[in-house]
Amino acid sequence: MTAIETTATADIGVVGLAVMGSNLARNLASHGHAVAVYNRTFARTESMMADHGDEGNFVPSEDIKDFVASLKAPRVAIIMVQAGRGTDAVIDQLADLMDEGDIIVDCGNANFHDTIRREKDIRARGLHFVGTGVSGGEEGALNGPSIMPGGTPESYARLGPMFESISAQVDGEPCCMHVGSDGAGHYVKMVHNGIEYADMQLIGEAYDLLRRGLGAEPAEIAEIFAEWNKGRLDSYLIEITAEVLRQKDAETGKALVDVILDRAAQKGTGTWTAQNGLELGVPLTGITEAVFARALSSSVAQREGSGTLDGHVKDLQVEDRQAFIDDVENALYASKIVAYSQGFQQIEAAGEEYGWDIDLGNLARIWRGGCIIRAAFLNDIDEAYKKDPNLPLLMANEAFVDKINAAVPSWRRVVVMGVEAGIPLPAFSSSLAYFDGIRAERLPAALIQGQRDFFGAHTYKRVDKEGTFHTEWSGDRTETTMS
């Protein structure tokens, strides 16, 4: 590693000045931190300085060597570049120029497996690597995101105070905490995004039910969501749903939602969440169905080829408008709790698998502000884990039990109405199926295990005695004790 002799004045640096990187740099500068800025294309650095250079103390560099030299020791460099090879290239460039104890921070949406690998490689070079989840989008990066750094406690001691100063603040507390070692920060951001997928799909299904059941225009439904946002469903996603539904298209005068093509895109974090849930054996029904729903919406040839399929549907008859609205609200609330419960279960399982000691209550607390899934009931989640840090099932906590139990009749009515009317409700129905599965005294898994033993001698356990058993299915069908 090469030390560079020059004047170091910047507290922290940002590499990559697209909107997210630029906004994060501006946020840091506006909070009194001297910020070094560098972009591979210097014209972008010049543009940012021309537009925002008066917002704080920026130290622009045209060359990455000068950028590194402008940082105070121990140096802290944030990278905000395209995930994948681009990230690895910038990491290598920085590491070659840094000294022992310096810190490289990846604030992009990296796959946590890549972060674990990078942290190990960088640690071997005497440096710190901090994979950091940042949620809040462009506005959050500028005005206060939720920040989830991983890495070592030593790196957080240097980095944490700066991140805490620029994060969202709720009840006087920063929405930032040291999550855990190596890939923990990017992992919890991944699951955050998975919950976000489920939440958005559930809201979409609620909108679809209201639109078809009430025959209402988007602007009318916007007022329903705005009213919901005043109560227990108070959240950022409910808030912006009302705003989207109110928006008119300037060209046609129609509701904007009616001229947007119904194909939902995705960038991969939801898919990673679902894949990892399968690897860990965590039933992420709501999140996974939300990922599949986006894939189905973009299955153009399949949707176009379905014209001959007869759904044999009934008209959706709504006799009591307010009762129907209340039913949809109840179903939405209960299903959202399922999504969060499953997400926190996955984080707990990952902590055991990857050796992370993640404080779930604190995690809920830093998601109360800045991030996309911020919601009022995160306070209830925080309290639940304060009472029992080893809570096996979040939705069974006393803060939620009575509310979910009260919502179940509405939940069932909504799913039945949707099925009969041919309205796809993958997130609502899978969340209800999970609820019924988790509360069932006995599941048909006993039959499945018998089938597995029949064709593959996979063995089974019994309810009435200890041990592992196998039936000689192709022989005399006697039972053998295997252990």
Side-chain angles (χ1 to χ4, degrees):
M1 290 179 284
T2 304
I4 301 172
E5 297 296 333
T6 191
T7 303
T9 59
D11 302 311
I12 192 167
V14 178
V15 178
L17 299 177
V19 176
M20 284 292 291
S22 174
N23 282 3
L24 194 60
R26 292 168 59 196
N27 190 353
L28 284 159
S30 70
H31 283 82
H33 307 292
V35 185
V37 290
Y38 167 77
N39 196 80
R40 185 170 57 86
T41 305
F42 187 57
R44 177 161 279 172
T45 307
E46 292 179 306
S47 176
M48 194 207 84
M49 292 301 297
D51 293 339
H52 308 292
D54 60 351
E55 295 178 2
N57 184 3
F58 294 102
V59 184
S61 294
E62 187 170 359
D63 182 87
I64 195 166
K65 293 181 180 179
D66 293 337
F67 166 81
V68 172
S70 71
L71 297 170
K72 295 177 185 177
R75 302 179 180 99
V76 178
I78 296 172
I79 56 177
M80 295 290 287
V81 299
Q82 188 173 6
R85 293 180 179 177
T87 298
D88 283 318
V90 174
I91 290 170
D92 285 340
Q93 282 184 296
L94 290 171
D96 287 342
L97 297 168
M98 285 182 155
D99 294 317
E100 186 172 346
D102 288 348
I103 304 166
I104 300 173
V105 186
D106 180 7
C107 286
N109 272 337
N111 187 298
F112 77 97
H113 289 296
D114 289 335
T115 303
I116 292 173
R117 168 181 57 80
R118 289 164 179 157
E119 194 277 336
K120 181 180 179 181
D121 292 344
I122 292 299
R123 178 165 25 94
R125 300 177 69 170
L127 305 173
H128 296 281
F129 185 79
V130 181
T132 300
V134 179
S135 179
E138 297 174 9
E139 181 182 350
L142 180 61
N143 298 316
S146 177
I147 309 178
M148 299 149 260
T152 62
E154 294 82 6
S155 61
Y156 191 79
R158 171 78 170 92
L159 180 64
M162 289 186 285
F163 273 175
E164 289 176 13
S165 72
I166 69 165
S167 71
Q169 308 286 314
V170 176
D171 298 333
E173 296 181 337
C175 292
C176 173
M177 76 170 191
H178 180 229
V179 177
S181 61
D182 51 60
H186 277 145
Y187 188 90
V188 298
K189 174 55 165 51
M190 177 192 77
V191 177
H192 164 286
N193 285 17
I195 295 171
E196 177 186 307
Y197 273 59
D199 208 340
M200 293 173 72
Q201 177 64 28
L202 289 165
I203 290 171
E205 292 176 17
Y207 160 73
D208 203 14
L209 283 162
L210 293 171
R211 186 82 188 265
R212 299 202 208 188
L214 302 177
E217 291 300 309
E220 298 176 71
I221 300 172
E223 298 313 309
I224 295 172
F225 277 95
E227 190 63 29
W228 287 351
N229 199 49
K230 297 176 183 177
R232 61 184 178 173
L233 288 176
D234 175 14
S235 65
Y236 174 72
L237 285 171
I238 294 290
E239 176 188 340
I240 68 168
T241 297
E243 293 299 317
V244 171
L245 291 175
R246 288 188 183 113
Q247 185 66 25
K248 294 283 188 181
D249 175 49
E251 185 175 339
T252 64
K254 297 179 180 179
L256 179 63
V257 72
D258 285 342
V259 299
I260 296 175
L261 190 64
D262 62 335
R263 297 176 195 168
Q266 52 184 308
K267 290 188 175 181
T269 47
T271 300
W272 296 344
T273 308
Q275 289 171 337
N276 184 251
L278 289 170
E279 291 169 4
L280 296 176
V282 177
L284 297 176
T285 58
I287 293 171
T288 304
E289 286 294 348
V291 175
F292 286 154
R294 292 197 190 189
L296 187 149
S297 75
S298 299
S299 299
V300 179
Q302 289 73 28
R303 292 178 67 188
E304 290 178 348
S306 67
T308 59
L309 300 175
D310 189 342
H312 297 281
V313 300
K314 297 180 179 179
D315 290 336
L316 183 55
Q317 301 288 342
V318 174
E319 297 178 359
D320 186 327
R321 186 179 190 275
Q322 189 56 51
F324 178 68
I325 293 172
D326 292 343
D327 276 352
V328 175
E329 181 197 11
N330 283 329
L332 178 56
Y333 175 79
S335 297
K336 281 164 69 81
I337 295 301
V338 167
Y340 281 73
S341 183
Q342 291 176 348
F344 276 84
Q345 182 187 351
Q346 181 177 9
I347 293 170
E348 182 178 25
E352 295 177 4
E353 177 72 15
Y354 304 112
W356 300 324
D357 184 17
I358 300 175
D359 188 316
L360 298 178
N362 283 342
L363 186 61
R365 191 153 55 251
I366 71 167
W367 284 351
R368 295 180 302 163
C371 73
I372 302 302
I373 66 169
R374 59 185 184 265
F377 58 61
L378 281 163
N379 285 307
D380 295 328
I381 294 175
D382 177 25
E383 289 299 321
Y385 283 112
K386 278 182 181 176
K387 290 183 179 179
D388 183 2
N390 299 312
L391 185 66
L393 180 66
L394 175 60
M395 59 189 285
N397 174 262
E398 60 186 24
F400 301 113
V401 168
D402 290 343
K403 297 172 184 176
I404 292 177
N405 286 342
V408 170
S410 294
W411 204 0
R412 296 195 189 283
R413 282 193 293 270
V414 161
V415 170
V416 169
M417 291 175 76
V419 169
E420 291 185 337
I423 301 173
L425 301 175
F428 272 149
S429 57
S430 65
S431 298
L432 180 58
Y434 172 83
F435 171 83
D436 283 332
I438 210 76
R439 54 175 289 279
E441 289 187 16
R442 188 162 172 81
L443 293 166
L447 174 59
I448 293 170
Q449 199 61 17
Q451 293 169 329
R452 293 182 73 242
D453 188 57
F454 189 103
F455 65 69
H458 293 295
T459 74
Y460 53 86
K461 294 184 181 296
R462 296 176 59 99
V463 299
D464 54 357
K465 54 186 173 181
E466 295 295 321
T468 302
F469 304 90
H470 166 63
T471 292
E472 300 294 339
W473 297 103
S474 59
D476 61 3
R477 305 233 168 162
T478 57
E479 185 179 73
T480 302
T481 301
M482 307 300 293
S483 65

